[in-house]
Amino acid sequence: MSVHHATRAAGCVAAAGAAALTAVLALADPASAHAEVEADAPRALAENVTLTFVSEAESDTAGFTELRVVLPDGIAPGDVTLADAPKGWKLKPGDDGYTVAGPVLRTGADAEYKVRVRQLPDTGQLVFKTLETYGDGETARWIELPGGGVEPEQPAPVLKLRAAASDTASADPSESASSPAAGAMAARLAGKIATAQESGSSTGPIVGSAIAVLLVLGGGAWSLGRRRVSSGASDVPAADPES
């Protein structure tokens, strides 16, 4: 076979392969449509979070007219308000979720809307099972969950959450415990104040000195505790293998 004929044959094979790939992608395109959810603050226990839902159109004959969402545990229908939606669409709470509906959208147009949630629950992920209704009555049910290593054909929208932010740091016993020196000094100062009161002398200077001394001792004990915590690993002696 000549080089010219080989080049032509390779070109034909490549063209046939490209055509076959295009046909496969065209057939698979409707199945690739899905429902999604994302948040502006995807963190457990976050407040006033805006969730954005997108339902991709898969019908060639009608547009969306209604989207129903089943809320996960920890979010009540009364805690959800509509933030943005297609023109004329309204939110209606239900027993286990809500419905966003309105005039039929253009065929092939995706449905996107936003809701505001008062507070997200303390969990790692949230599942929002979604039912999509088209103007011709057709319904798509995006309610399946992955399991057994098999990817579902119509997966429900899932929102992954980061761990909740800690508002208060845990207390360190070494920082709050009083040192023996501070306790002894406090006892001596209390005795001096009692003696001064019995003798009728002014206790103002003594009280002022007591407060100053206790503040200094307290600050020193706190700093010492911090240093002990930071160097705690180096202060622990190595275990004796013969013991």
Side-chain angles (χ1 to χ4, degrees):
M1 181 183 290
S2 66
V3 174
H4 178 67
H5 287 167
T7 303
R8 289 186 60 187
C12 291
V13 171
L21 178 61
T22 301
V24 170
L25 292 176
L27 291 175
D29 182 65
S32 66
H34 54 279
E36 297 179 337
V37 60
E38 55 185 36
D40 60 348
R43 184 183 296 277
L45 297 181
E47 298 181 354
N48 299 319
V49 178
T50 298
L51 303 181
T52 301
F53 290 86
V54 178
S55 289
E56 297 182 356
E58 60 180 350
S59 174
D60 295 329
T61 59
F64 288 115
T65 185
E66 178 183 286
L67 304 174
R68 182 177 182 274
V69 173
V70 177
L71 290 171
D73 292 340
I75 301 180
D79 294 335
V80 179
T81 56
L82 187 63
D84 189 25
K87 185 177 181 180
W89 282 42
K90 305 295 182 182
L91 183 146
K92 181 180 179 181
D95 294 335
D96 58 356
Y98 63 85
T99 299
V100 179
V104 180
L105 300 184
R106 175 178 54 84
T107 301
D110 296 341
E112 179 176 346
Y113 69 94
K114 298 180 180 180
V115 295
R116 188 167 292 109
V117 179
R118 185 182 63 82
Q119 185 177 32
L120 299 180
D122 190 5
T123 186
Q125 71 174 24
L126 298 171
V127 179
F128 297 87
K129 295 181 179 181
T130 301
L131 283 74
E132 305 168 344
T133 302
Y134 292 86
D136 58 1
E138 180 185 352
T139 300
R141 300 166 62 86
W142 299 95
I143 60 175
E144 299 177 4
L145 299 178
V150 179
E151 189 69 23
E153 294 184 1
Q154 292 185 301
V158 176
L159 179 64
K160 301 289 186 179
L161 300 182
R162 297 191 298 270
S166 178
D167 295 334
T168 58
S170 59
D172 190 335
S174 63
E175 294 180 5
S176 59
S178 301
S179 66
M185 180 60 72
R188 287 197 296 270
L189 290 174
K192 290 184 178 181
I193 293 174
T195 302
Q197 289 176 337
E198 291 175 358
S199 62
S201 59
S202 174
T203 60
I206 297 178
V207 172
S209 300
I211 294 174
V213 171
L214 290 177
L215 287 175
V216 171
L217 288 175
W222 182 84
S223 300
L224 179 59
R226 294 292 293 181
R227 288 197 298 272
R228 285 177 177 173
V229 171
S230 61
S231 61
S234 62
D235 291 340
V236 177
D240 187 351
E242 300 180 357
S243 59

